[in-house]
Structure formats: C-alpha cells, structure tokens
Amino acid sequence: MTDERVEVLTVGCAGYRLDVYVTGHLDLSRARVQALVAEGRVRVDGRVAKKSHRLETGQEIEVRVPSPEALDAQPENVPLDVLFEDSSLLVVNKPAGMVTHPAPGHPTGTLVNALLGHTDDLSGIGGKLRPGIVHRLDRYTSGLMVVAKSDRAHHALSEALQRREIKRLYITASWGHLSESPLEVTAPIGRDPVERQRMAVVEKGRYAVTRFRVVERWLGAELLRVALGTGRTHQIRVHLAHIGHPVVGDTVYGVGWERGMGGKARQWAKILSQRAERQFLHSWRLSFEHPLSGEVMRFEVPLPADLQTCAEWARNDDVS
C-alpha cells in the first residue's frame, strides 16, 4: 500500500467550498486537492465529499496525501549549464536536442537524468518521470528552465506559473513578414483531430495567447521576441503556423513553407532552411519571485552558437 500522510482540519468558518478551504490550509495546489477529492482521499466528518461541498463550522476534514512516487528515472553524469542553484531551486540553460524528461524512445540522457546526477535534493511531486519539473521546453528548443528542489518550492512555482507570474520570453525566427508589430494571437490550442501527435488551433481547445514583436526584418523571414500569456504545448509554433508564419526550421509545423516564396527571396529562404538544423526557438529570459525569499530573480542567456550563426547569415541579403 502506498505510504501517505494524513492531515486533519477543523473548519473554523462556514460557507467555504471544500477544495478552496483545503487549498488555503495545506501546502497543496488547488488542482492537487481536486485530484485528491476525486480519488476519495478527502472526507468530511468521515464521508467522501465533492469538491464543491459547502462546509459548516466545526466539521472535521481528513485529507490523505500519498507520498511522492518513487523515481523511475536514473541519475546520469550528463553535463548541465547551471546558472543558479540554492536549496530550493535550480535555473538551467537546456541545450537543443535534450529531452526534458524520460518518455518512450528517450529513456535516458534527459534533463531529469542529468538533474538526478547533479543533486540528491529534487522534488518528487512531479511523479516518477518528472521530478522537480515545473515547466518544460520542447526537445529542439534551447534555453532557460527553473527546476524545483523541494516540494514547497515546486508547489509555489507551479502556482505562480498558473497565475502567469513566471515570465518567459523567447526569441524565434518565422517565415515571411508579420502584418503588424506588436501582434497578439489569441486562439485555443488542442490535439489535432487527425494527427494526434500534433497540436493545432481547434474550437474546443484550451485558451492560449501569445505576443510577438519584430526585432529584425530579413529578406524572407523575421527575428521575433515572443512573450507567453499562457503555456500550452507547442504554443509558439502552433500560433505562428496558424497565422501563416511558421518557425524557421520547424519540421512539424513548417515543412516546405519557404518554397512558396518567389524571386530572390526563394533562393535566400532555401539556403536559410538548409542552415537551420533545428527549429529556431530559444528561451532567452526567465523571471520569477523566489518561492522562499520573495526576491525577484531574472536570468538571460544569448542565442546559442547554431542560431546565432543562422541569424548572422540571414542579415545578409546577398545570396549570389
């Protein structure tokens, strides 16, 4: 039987929803509390209750919280670019090509394997394969990530992420030229109804908003700064493809887009496409409040060498 801790609360004020009250009195996110309620792990006066149950003064709430699952991922001696570390968290610069956590086809060599090899203190709240992971980057996206080293930090950072208080800025290159700058794209994202491995803008998808600003205008593409208003899977790539300007080098959402260009731009785009060995997307700035001290933490990393080389070439319109 899974080990668990038992928390007992006595309701001091009537009228609160069960999930709201428990969230306010235990070090758990509301989503975590709702999951515990759905699993029958939360009882009011000895009876399983719904998350919307309205509490009365003097009622006793029993919450059974299972211990974090044992890790399946194994520690590995994989180099890490650590920008900051203390007892609560790490900030790392993930290289392109590194998968964030173990998955089918990628059981080793992931960021999680590297983190487990780097430190013994890592939050297990993320489960067997995602310890400490607060947010993720796609395999071929490089840049900044914050990782929790304690359950308290994991809870606080996850809550801050849901409240959109963790600011993540990206640099990307997209084909063609935006109709305006700055440009905000608001379009719901969900699973592609036909190709289930892809994401797409779909009517019943989750709310998603991305803000783009042109930094440099090239012959057949643009360098953009991107701010996430939400954090959906493949959000930047899906939104840019949706408006007809997919990410340069994106082999999922932008294959062959540059072939539609004419004149000098067509040859230029062909060469840039060959030079872009992966999707041109980099998380360059990350800022958040430290979960314990409240200090504002801000980190920046420049474009890695492969993307910087592409950008330097793209600034040159001469393809003769």
Side-chain angles (χ1 to χ4, degrees):
M1 186 175 184
T2 304
D3 292 336
E4 59 183 13
R5 79 175 194 267
V6 179
E7 302 280 359
V8 178
L9 305 171
T10 300
V11 178
C13 184
Y16 282 95
R17 280 174 52 119
L18 175 60
D19 57 344
V20 174
Y21 191 87
V22 174
T23 300
H25 288 77
L26 297 181
D27 188 21
L28 298 170
S29 70
R30 189 168 176 181
R32 178 66 168 145
V33 170
Q34 290 176 343
L36 293 174
V37 171
E39 294 167 4
R41 296 181 179 275
V42 181
R43 295 175 178 265
V44 178
D45 289 340
R47 296 181 180 180
V48 174
K50 296 181 178 179
K51 64 183 180 182
S52 58
H53 175 79
R54 293 290 174 176
L55 296 168
E56 299 178 6
T57 302
Q59 287 187 311
E60 184 177 271
I61 304 172
E62 180 186 89
V63 184
R64 294 185 174 272
V65 184
S67 300
E69 297 177 280
L71 301 180
D72 276 355
Q74 299 301 312
E76 294 180 25
N77 185 21
V78 177
L80 272 179
D81 184 5
V82 179
L83 278 69
F84 175 85
E85 181 175 8
D86 64 10
S87 60
S88 298
L89 58 88
L90 300 99
V91 175
V92 299
N93 181 19
K94 186 189 84 68
M98 176 180 277
V99 176
T100 298
H101 52 76
H106 302 285
T108 61
T110 71
L111 177 63
V112 164
N113 296 118
L115 289 167
L116 291 172
H118 175 80
T119 177
D120 293 330
D121 300 320
L122 202 63
S123 167
I125 284 296
K128 290 183 178 181
L129 299 179
R130 305 186 185 190
I133 300 300
V134 177
H135 63 107
R136 60 184 293 273
L137 293 177
D138 298 337
R139 179 182 180 183
Y140 294 109
T141 299
S142 54
L144 293 166
M145 293 180 62
V146 59
V147 178
K149 291 178 64 178
S150 70
D151 293 348
R152 180 179 178 184
H154 197 286
H155 166 69
L157 289 168
S158 295
E159 289 285 293
L161 189 68
Q162 291 181 9
R163 295 192 300 267
R164 302 171 192 170
E165 293 172 355
I166 296 181
K167 305 301 182 183
R168 294 169 288 167
L169 296 180
Y170 293 73
I171 295 177
T172 190
S174 66
W175 292 115
H177 301 118
L178 299 187
S179 58
E180 57 184 285
S181 175
L183 174 66
E184 180 174 291
V185 177
T186 302
I189 293 176
R191 288 285 171 190
D192 189 304
V194 178
E195 299 183 56
R196 302 297 294 173
Q197 298 302 312
R198 293 164 48 111
M199 307 302 289
V201 169
V202 293
E203 183 178 354
K204 294 184 179 181
R206 300 177 69 188
Y207 171 80
V209 57
T210 316
R211 301 174 183 90
F212 302 97
R213 182 182 297 274
V214 176
V215 178
E216 296 180 14
R217 184 182 175 94
W218 302 334
L219 181 60
E222 289 176 326
L223 191 67
L224 310 176
R225 283 189 180 176
V226 187
L228 289 177
T230 52
R232 310 303 177 210
T233 301
H234 299 176
Q235 178 173 318
I236 295 171
R237 298 161 63 196
V238 170
H239 272 176
L240 281 171
H242 175 66
I243 63 173
H245 300 282
V247 172
V248 171
D250 190 336
T251 59
V252 176
Y253 301 103
V255 175
W257 190 94
E258 70 279 4
R259 296 172 191 161
M261 294 186 184
K264 184 179 179 181
R266 182 180 179 88
Q267 179 64 16
W268 180 93
K270 179 181 178 181
I271 297 173
L272 179 60
S273 181
Q274 294 170 344
R275 285 175 168 268
E277 297 181 353
R278 51 104 168 183
Q279 62 203 28
F280 198 121
L281 185 57
H282 176 67
S283 174
W284 76 282
R285 177 185 286 177
L286 177 69
S287 60
F288 56 91
E289 286 191 3
H290 192 283
L292 266 65
S293 69
E295 178 186 358
V296 176
M297 315 287 288
R298 176 178 288 183
F299 302 90
E300 294 182 6
V301 288
L303 282 175
D306 61 334
L307 299 187
Q308 185 61 44
T309 299
C310 277
E312 290 172 355
W313 180 89
R315 295 181 182 112
N316 177 18
D317 293 349
D318 184 7
V319 293
S320 58

